[in-house]
Amino acid sequence: MTRRAGVFVCHCGNNIAATVDVKHVAEELGKDQGVVFSKDYVYMCSDPGQQSIIDAIKEHELDSVVISCCSPNLHEKTFREASAVGGMNPFQCEIANIREQCAWVHKDKAKGTEKALKITRSAVRRVRRNEALTPIGVPVTRKVLVVGGGIAGIQSALDLANAGFEVVLVEKLPTIGGHMIQLSETFPTLDCSQCILSPKMVEVSKHPNITLMVSSEVKQVSGFVGNFKVKIHTKAQYVDPEKCKICDDCTPVCPTVVPNEYDAGLTGRRAIHIPFAQAIPASFYLDESACLGLNPVVCGKCMDVCEAGAIDYDVKPKTTEIEVGAIVVATGFDLYGQEMMAEYGRGKYPDVLDGIQFERLCSASGPTSGHVLRPSDHKEPKSVVFIQCSGSRDPAQHCAYCSKICCMYTAKHATLYKHHVPDGQAYVFYIDIRSGGKGYEEFVQRAMERDGVIYLRGRVSKVYQSKGKLKVMGVDTLAGKNVEIDADMVVLAQAMVPSKGTAEIAKTLKIGRDKDGFLAEAHPKLRPVESVTGGIFLTGAAQGPKDIPETVCQASAAAAKVIQLLSKPQLEHSPAVAKVRESHCTGCEMCVDACPFEAITLVNGKAYVNEVLCEGCGTCSGTCVRSAIDVKNVTQLQIFDMISACMGA
Amino acid sequence: MVAIEDIRARAKELLESGKVRSVLGYRRGTASVLAEPAFVTAPEDTAALVLDATCVENLALYLVNEKKRQKTQRSQDTRPLAVVAKGCDGRAITVLLQENYIKRDEVVILGVSCENGGMIDTHKLSRALRGKAATGAAFDGNGGIKVAFTAGETTVPAAEVLAARCLECTKAYPLVSDYFFGDKIDERSYSPRFTAVSAIAEKSPEERSAFWAGHFERCIRCYACRAVCPMCYCDECVVDSTSFIVNPTTSADEKACRIRWIQRSASPSENAMYHMVRAIHLAGRCTDCGECERVCPVNIPLRLLNTMLEREALEMFEYAPGLDPEQPSLISSFRDGDPNDFIR
Amino acid sequence: MNKVPEAVETRNDKNEVQDFEPKVVAFLCKWCSSAGSDLAGVSRLQYPPNAVPIQVMCSGSVSPMYIMSAFNKGADGVLVSGCHPGDCHYLKGNFYARRRIYLVQKLLKFIGLEPERFRMSWVSAAEGVKYAEVVTDFVKDLKALGPQRKLKAKV
């Protein structure tokens, strides 16, 4: 029990002194048992203020210090560092918040002072029983796992690899590229999407610091920041990427045809296929769910014709275990399901498409070689209706949020359509136009003014087929009348939703998701690329709808945060962790079950705390009925004393 | 009906074979009509074992006491202990297993079913006999308790003399056992569970306040309730800092750091604190053996506090104590749907 | 219509009659509720000074003993405030708090302590206004109830 406390009461100029009699607080505390030094000063956080702490510690041999001032969020670190300079253990310094939680919220000076006395006294009683603590050093593994091989994952992986870190990039599809590689051109510059992404994809495949694992998924994660152990499951790779020469002798002989995911279902592909020409790894891939049976008796034609001998039906899936220091989650998005917008004919009429399908039509490498043609009869549509906010901004039935990118890509689609079919007519139904980025507003205006796209402010109630046309029933609120358009094609700007598997990966990594299912950031402004779990970072559309420029920014931001984390030889973990009082512990395991971080195990019949995993939350202490576990420097006895002080004792 | 001969035979066999070091059961008491607990180590002494409506004690308590005694012994007989367990006792043993206080292989459970009977409440029996002293009481298998007294015997309806907890019991046999005696009967013909506590909960706040104030005033802090409870096995009770374990390594600082949460004086506020703390520490662990209420010298209706929390746990959290040794404890588990309305 | 609560008369140490000022202990979790209270301060919102805050790391660390002990030491009201469900900085602590504190408040009510004397709230770091409201409402309701005598230890 410490006995030489020093109390410093800050005026904070007039911020505290106006409504709290700080001199009186300092005087009264000076009379308390165990307080050998007590003073007030106008600005404790200033240089002379801090120096007075250093001097007092030395002169009066203080073993603990209470600063009665503003919120600890502001200056706890400052005063602890000053205490350390004075030669005292920094954890013997505690803050009493008499500004935000007292002086600023009460006008009655007498009552405010009384409350400030209680708050300060409470801190003094507490610090009396503080232990001297040393931060716990945690060694780190200088290797990073990036989950997801879209533009976000690719960017993060490259930034990290170029900074000298080893990176493992895990992608569940047989190729990286994500959705960006499906795009034709990107707004607002109309850059060819493949042209700007392919070089990065090649860089990933060639980078000495990056290990690329495709057809792979993260199955299990254990450990903690700086020291994760990850189990990755890789599907059986029947086609060896090292041997495949991409000669394409196999697809003509494969008897099975299934929808082609890369073309968003507009075309078919064989069971053995290359996802697209620029796939990385550059190799064909045998999809076992479509294959007739991997059995030479049943089929086996692809293996027969493969001169490179790259196909082997006996390959097994494998599980790899790696150790990494940090994880970047870039699992991306999907578009709102086909079955979700039945009122717009989605899933019913082949000429009602979503944005990605329209991209494929526009793309030179797409199913129609870049000509915009109707999937139903391959005729050129002369009238195309684009419906924005399809599934977004609809709290009653669909997604409440705005998907951010649809106004821009709809303008892009309408522009591209007009370039391909100059005599066609494009209509856009919108609620608002959200075009906040650089050059975005000008892009939309060009679509309206130069390319003659007709923008109608209103919603569409229904799309149905009649006499070979798609009838679109909507409203033009600015003109104040209903509108009915006979369209040859309808393109829906479907809402952006977290990609399939986001829920599972969040569970595997034990990170949270927000109310819409996107991965939750620790704080939107203070910590936008970190999850609440230490060492796990978020980037890209997995964290929320965003466009490619923002995604690239966020990916680099996540990489920067990882570099920050892993650049030190070891991490410093807060030492205010749980401690077991073995004499009272009966090994009932209630704390083991309750601990949110699984930091407690049973060893020799008693609870044992892994100090590196323990975050010091105190849930164990609140659960234990025997007072057998406490968090250092916030013990039950300290709280007991603080309650007494709050009651005015 | 449970045949006592079967229990005796099994107990004898376990002792003769050396599988267990002792059999903990009931034998005829000497103080009153109630049976008393007995540790039987010689096979021939198993003839003294009884099982009838006077076997009110919760033998799980003696498992705890045995465990504590063993810690002070130098040489250990590590063979398991066999114990006769009624439904409520069996649940208590399950909680002890759940909390790792005893290991499954340390105990051989001789589960007995109360079928449609139960244990008597001596006050109720006294009233029914109008002052005559009973010498024995057994369930007759037909809704009645056959009471023997010095001048003869009579049968009284079970509903009149069974203990309140037995009247409300919904599971009169243990779910975890090594050997089982009797029939597993789930249909019992008495009151619904939580009848007694519902009656109190329905009183107005003023009535309830006066009710408890009246009871807490009379508490003399004898701690009989704590002593008889198998779940109160803590070496140092939160209220009782003088029983703090002191060993050669205990520092003066540690001795000074014990928290005196509650005063030891028998004043109404401190009594209320003690009983509330005990109730909250037993939440999800108390299996309603009713012993605390039975042993209270001033007749405080203690089981009301515990069954009130048991009812909340069941209705709000779908949690019932003592069903499965693997279940988590009530307060170290939660569900997304836990009540939230009381929070602003 | 809410009846305006009448001030309860009490006598101070000098046996002078004065308006009853309830004493409240508020357990605030560091990451949400205490931050919310800080925000109330930054926004200069005004609320009654009766509640003295004790910052705990997580609402999950609040043991039932703290609440009962506060009443035993003479608190007229006890407030526990934490992060909203799903937002706990320590992932799950507030779920345990919710369950445990539900039982405590049921027990307090059962033995006859006025249930209005104990309050739990979810206040996030962004809810400075809510914190000020919670304290203001609490103090107002406590004034009508008068001093807590049932569990207060007699010295």
Side-chain angles (χ1 to χ4, degrees):
Chain A
M1 197 153 130
T2 52
R3 271 167 216 126
R4 299 188 64 82
V7 175
F8 301 81
V9 187
C10 188
H11 295 223
C12 193
N14 226 14
N15 279 305
I16 299 179
T19 48
V20 169
D21 186 347
V22 289
K23 286 204 175 307
H24 179 69
V25 172
E27 264 166 32
E28 284 304 300
L29 263 297
K31 301 176 193 162
D32 272 14
Q33 189 194 42
V35 176
V36 303
F37 179 84
S38 179
K39 66 166 254 188
D40 59 285
Y41 184 65
V42 61
Y43 290 112
M44 280 309 302
C45 56
S46 67
D47 215 42
Q50 291 188 47
Q51 193 58 46
S52 71
I53 300 174
I54 296 167
D55 293 340
I57 292 173
K58 291 186 177 146
E59 253 176 68
H60 298 271
E61 290 166 28
L62 301 179
D63 56 20
S64 53
V65 148
V66 167
I67 323 286
S68 213
C69 56
C70 51
S71 168
N73 289 345
L74 289 143
H75 286 307
E76 186 179 75
K77 192 155 172 277
T78 315
F79 293 126
R80 282 194 172 166
E81 277 168 4
S83 304
V85 171
M88 191 185 84
N89 182 287
F91 292 91
Q92 300 284 20
C93 166
E94 292 291 348
I95 309 296
N97 181 344
I98 60 167
R99 191 182 76 169
E100 282 85 339
Q101 298 194 355
C102 187
W104 273 352
V105 290
H106 309 310
K107 286 212 170 68
D108 182 325
K109 196 157 184 182
K111 292 192 175 150
T113 307
E114 200 189 309
K115 181 167 162 178
L117 271 171
K118 288 178 181 169
I119 294 174
T120 310
R121 200 159 264 145
S122 180
V124 171
R125 298 264 171 89
R126 175 206 178 164
V127 85
R128 234 193 272 170
R129 299 185 196 272
N130 267 14
E131 280 177 56
L133 300 175
T134 324
I136 301 163
V138 179
V140 297
T141 310
R142 295 180 97 246
K143 194 164 160 179
V144 187
L145 169 68
V146 178
V147 184
I151 176 63
I154 289 171
Q155 186 63 50
S156 275
L158 287 171
D159 287 341
L160 287 164
N162 287 332
F165 289 87
E166 266 183 72
V167 179
V168 174
L169 178 55
V170 168
E171 165 57 50
K172 90 177 160 206
L173 294 180
T175 173
I176 55 176
H179 282 299
M180 188 177 167
I181 204 68
Q182 290 176 298
L183 305 182
S184 162
E185 277 127 321
T186 58
F187 59 78
T189 49
L190 295 182
D191 280 311
C192 156
S193 179
Q194 303 216 348
C195 307
I196 54 178
L197 183 54
S198 294
K200 286 196 197 264
M201 287 166 59
V202 172
E203 216 188 316
V204 164
S205 70
K206 289 194 164 27
H207 206 296
N209 284 346
I210 300 180
T211 306
L212 180 56
M213 294 176 73
V214 294
S215 301
S216 299
E217 286 186 69
V218 172
K219 281 301 176 201
Q220 199 187 75
V221 175
S222 62
F224 48 92
V225 55
N227 297 274
F228 292 108
K229 279 195 178 55
V230 185
K231 271 205 184 113
I232 299 168
H233 181 260
T234 306
K235 284 193 180 140
Q237 302 214 278
Y238 301 106
V239 181
D240 184 348
E242 305 287 308
K243 293 190 179 148
C244 176
K245 301 278 173 283
I246 326 180
C247 64
D248 199 11
D249 281 348
C250 46
T251 59
V253 302
C254 176
T256 324
V257 178
V258 290
N260 183 355
E261 297 89 354
Y262 179 66
D263 278 337
L266 290 177
T267 56
R269 62 157 172 85
R270 308 293 168 148
I272 189 162
H273 66 288
I274 188 163
F276 50 88
Q278 302 80 17
I280 295 286
S283 166
F284 274 65
Y285 169 74
L286 178 49
D287 172 10
E288 65 181 318
S289 62
C291 176
L292 284 180
L294 300 170
N295 187 338
V297 173
V298 179
C299 179
K301 294 198 174 69
C302 55
M303 188 154 119
D304 289 339
V305 304
C306 180
E307 282 180 12
I311 303 175
D312 179 359
Y313 300 134
D314 294 323
V315 173
K316 298 267 171 283
K318 62 177 176 77
T319 304
T320 320
E321 268 199 51
I322 59 170
E323 285 182 18
V324 294
I327 302 176
V328 178
V329 189
T331 47
F333 74 97
D334 278 332
L335 287 184
Y336 203 39
Q338 176 163 283
E339 63 286 1
M340 291 299 191
M341 300 307 293
E343 62 264 43
Y344 290 163
R346 184 98 179 95
K348 228 180 354 185
Y349 312 122
D351 297 322
V352 174
L353 308 173
D354 68 26
I356 292 191
Q357 288 177 317
F358 193 77
E359 289 282 345
R360 296 313 304 143
L361 289 181
C362 292
S363 170
S365 64
T368 54
S369 307
H371 300 290
V372 179
L373 300 174
R374 284 160 35 114
S376 58
D377 57 13
H378 278 240
K379 290 212 174 73
E380 205 173 56
K382 292 299 184 191
S383 143
V384 178
V385 171
F386 296 88
I387 305 179
Q388 290 187 183
C389 301
S390 177
S392 304
R393 302 186 64 184
D394 190 349
Q397 306 218 56
H398 304 290
C399 305
Y401 53 88
C402 164
S403 292
K404 203 160 188 197
I405 59 172
C406 324
C407 289
M408 286 310 297
Y409 74 64
T410 298
K412 174 185 72 172
H413 287 166
T415 305
L416 289 177
Y417 167 66
K418 289 291 285 183
H419 289 177
H420 280 124
V421 186
D423 62 335
Q425 189 55 61
Y427 304 89
V428 176
F429 279 93
Y430 71 99
I431 307 176
D432 294 291
I433 296 298
R434 291 172 171 182
S435 48
K438 262 196 189 172
Y440 285 21
E441 176 62 18
E442 297 89 318
F443 183 83
V444 177
Q445 290 299 328
R446 275 200 300 276
M448 292 184 199
E449 292 164 11
R450 187 190 66 186
D451 296 311
V453 176
I454 297 177
Y455 269 73
L456 298 163
R457 189 179 179 281
R459 304 203 64 178
V460 170
S461 61
K462 196 177 159 96
V463 173
Y464 64 96
Q465 192 141 302
S466 167
K467 301 193 187 104
K469 289 279 193 188
L470 286 165
K471 291 218 178 278
V472 179
M473 315 263 300
V475 64
D476 177 355
T477 57
L478 295 179
K481 57 183 189 223
N482 287 347
V483 169
E484 199 182 293
I485 301 179
D486 286 348
D488 295 319
M489 179 186 277
V490 172
V491 182
L492 304 177
Q494 292 285 79
M496 256 176 123
V497 296
S499 69
K500 186 158 161 288
T502 302
E504 282 76 37
I505 195 72
K507 206 163 163 208
T508 305
L509 294 172
K510 297 197 194 75
I511 56 179
R513 297 184 299 141
D514 64 22
K515 63 173 169 57
D516 302 307
F518 291 98
L519 300 176
E521 70 282 355
H523 189 283
K525 296 195 192 73
L526 298 176
R527 296 169 67 194
V529 292
E530 299 168 59
S531 73
V532 178
T533 308
I536 302 185
F537 301 86
L538 318 171
T539 181
Q543 181 264 339
K546 54 178 67 74
D547 55 32
I548 295 168
E550 283 173 342
T551 299
V552 173
C553 273
Q554 206 183 38
S556 294
K561 284 291 180 186
V562 171
I563 293 169
Q564 208 179 47
L565 179 73
L566 299 182
S567 60
K568 302 176 208 156
Q570 57 176 25
L571 292 177
E572 280 200 347
H573 181 70
S574 163
V577 294
K579 189 165 90 164
V580 178
R581 215 190 309 176
E582 294 201 347
S583 54
H584 287 54
C585 177
T586 60
C588 73
E589 289 192 274
M590 283 197 207
C591 59
V592 174
D593 290 336
C595 179
F597 303 97
E598 293 176 26
I600 313 179
T601 47
L602 215 57
V603 171
N604 290 334
K606 305 271 181 188
Y608 170 78
V609 176
N610 178 332
E611 295 201 339
V612 174
L613 287 178
C614 175
E615 294 285 317
C617 69
T619 300
C620 52
S621 175
T623 303
C624 181
V625 298
R626 301 181 181 96
S627 302
I629 189 164
D630 254 327
V631 176
K632 294 185 198 178
N633 288 5
V634 201
T635 63
Q636 296 206 342
L637 180 52
Q638 284 173 301
I639 303 270
F640 178 80
D641 285 342
M642 288 166 84
I643 297 172
S644 298
C646 288
M647 288 290 102
Chain B
M1 289 290 283
V2 178
I4 186 61
E5 299 76 36
D6 293 341
I7 301 178
R8 288 176 186 150
R10 175 61 64 195
K12 190 165 183 200
E13 182 259 313
L14 286 168
L15 287 169
E16 277 171 344
S17 66
K19 273 197 212 133
V20 301
R21 67 175 190 273
S22 186
V23 174
L24 170 56
Y26 303 96
R27 69 170 174 228
R28 276 271 61 80
T30 50
S32 68
V33 66
L34 294 179
E36 65 180 26
F39 280 91
V40 176
T41 38
E44 52 277 12
D45 291 345
T46 55
L49 290 173
V50 299
L51 188 73
D52 56 26
T54 67
C55 297
V56 302
E57 304 235 10
N58 182 347
L59 296 179
L61 173 67
Y62 300 96
L63 286 180
V64 171
N65 291 350
E66 252 302 282
K67 193 83 186 176
K68 294 192 176 182
R69 190 189 64 85
Q70 272 190 312
K71 284 190 192 152
T72 63
Q73 301 296 91
R74 224 175 277 162
S75 65
Q76 304 277 2
D77 183 342
T78 55
R79 289 177 298 170
L81 195 56
V83 59
V84 174
K86 314 193 288 286
C88 40
D89 308 343
R91 285 191 288 282
I93 296 173
T94 305
V95 176
L96 291 172
L97 290 171
Q98 176 193 323
E99 296 182 355
N100 304 322
Y101 198 75
I102 51 174
K103 293 200 190 37
R104 186 67 185 87
D105 57 13
E106 289 174 350
V107 65
V108 173
I109 303 173
L110 306 174
V112 298
S113 171
C114 289
E115 295 177 344
N116 198 24
M119 300 297 133
I120 54 161
D121 175 321
T122 49
H123 299 299
K124 290 184 182 177
L125 187 62
S126 246
R127 276 197 290 274
L129 293 183
R130 281 182 239 269
K132 286 197 277 289
T135 53
F139 187 58
D140 69 0
N142 198 18
I145 300 283
K146 203 154 67 166
V147 185
F149 50 95
T150 40
E153 60 178 42
T154 179
T155 301
V156 288
E160 269 181 39
V161 296
L162 283 186
R165 63 179 172 104
C166 296
L167 292 176
E168 292 180 14
C169 179
T170 52
K171 196 65 106 192
Y173 56 87
L175 293 173
V176 178
S177 66
D178 294 293
Y179 302 97
F180 194 86
F181 305 90
D183 294 316
K184 297 184 182 179
I185 292 175
D186 283 316
E187 297 271 317
R188 286 174 60 84
S189 38
Y190 308 109
S191 331
R193 185 109 191 95
F194 305 126
T195 304
V197 73
S198 303
I200 305 298
E202 273 147 36
K203 288 182 194 256
S204 73
E206 295 78 30
E207 282 180 303
R208 230 182 12 251
S209 182
F211 175 83
W212 286 110
H215 282 301
F216 290 147
E217 226 171 43
R218 296 180 303 109
C219 175
I220 56 174
R221 301 290 281 279
C222 68
Y223 300 116
C225 48
R226 183 182 71 179
V228 84
C229 178
M231 299 314 154
C232 282
Y233 55 70
C234 302
D235 289 314
E236 175 179 291
C237 177
V238 68
V239 72
D240 205 10
S241 39
T242 58
S243 64
F244 179 62
I245 310 149
V246 173
N247 57 44
T249 56
T250 312
S251 65
D253 215 35
E254 277 183 312
K255 288 183 201 169
C257 280
R258 295 190 318 275
I259 313 170
R260 183 160 286 163
W261 288 111
I262 308 166
Q263 307 277 11
R264 308 196 67 199
S265 54
S267 59
S269 67
E270 301 311 292
N271 294 346
M273 285 287 290
Y274 164 67
H275 287 294
M276 284 205 303
V277 170
R278 195 165 159 271
I280 209 83
H281 279 189
L282 289 173
R285 306 168 64 224
C286 167
T287 55
D288 199 16
C289 69
E291 285 288 272
C292 50
E293 196 171 282
R294 181 181 73 82
V295 303
C296 176
V298 294
N299 297 323
I300 298 177
L302 289 170
R303 61 177 283 276
L304 293 176
L305 292 171
N306 299 312
T307 49
M308 189 279 289
L309 288 177
E310 194 191 319
R311 185 177 75 161
E312 292 293 340
L314 187 62
E315 286 176 8
M316 289 300 160
F317 309 125
E318 287 179 356
Y319 187 91
L323 297 181
D324 176 4
E326 302 300 314
Q327 72 189 75
S329 78
L330 173 65
I331 57 171
S332 63
S333 56
F334 64 86
R335 298 175 317 167
D336 285 332
D338 279 352
N340 204 54
D341 294 338
F342 68 102
I343 302 175
R344 302 200 175 211
Chain C
M1 280 298 284
N2 288 335
K3 195 174 89 157
V4 173
E6 287 166 27
V8 173
E9 259 187 23
T10 52
R11 289 179 181 271
N12 64 10
D13 294 329
K14 301 193 185 91
N15 207 32
E16 294 156 1
V17 172
Q18 53 174 193
D19 278 348
F20 164 60
E21 283 297 344
K23 288 193 201 168
V24 178
V25 180
F27 295 96
L28 308 178
C29 88
K30 172 173 167 168
W31 300 93
C32 283
S33 295
S34 191
S37 171
D38 280 350
L39 179 59
V42 166
S43 317
R44 308 299 198 279
L45 303 171
Q46 300 291 302
Y47 54 85
N50 307 59
V52 186
I54 293 182
Q55 189 188 77
V56 291
M57 294 307 277
C58 179
S59 53
S61 72
V62 174
S63 159
M65 296 303 317
Y66 299 171
I67 300 165
M68 294 198 266
S69 179
F71 283 123
N72 187 234
K73 292 185 160 87
D76 300 302
V78 173
L79 173 68
V80 174
S81 189
C83 307
H84 286 263
D87 291 345
C88 178
H89 179 86
Y90 299 106
L91 312 177
K92 296 192 220 163
N94 58 355
F95 289 124
Y96 295 114
R98 178 167 70 178
R99 182 175 269 211
R100 205 184 295 145
I101 290 180
Y102 176 82
L103 294 172
V104 172
Q105 53 114 27
K106 280 290 171 184
L107 186 58
L108 290 169
K109 182 175 165 188
F110 189 64
I111 62 127
L113 191 78
E114 301 94 321
E116 289 300 298
R117 289 194 184 278
F118 175 72
R119 206 154 284 193
M120 187 166 174
S121 63
W122 299 135
V123 171
S124 79
E127 292 179 307
V129 172
K130 184 173 179 188
Y131 182 72
E133 268 171 18
V134 164
V135 175
T136 308
D137 289 344
F138 198 24
V139 172
K140 185 175 87 171
D141 293 341
L142 286 173
K143 282 193 170 164
L145 288 175
Q148 184 268 120
R149 295 208 169 87
K150 217 170 180 46
L151 293 179
K152 182 176 175 178
K154 309 284 186 287
V155 172

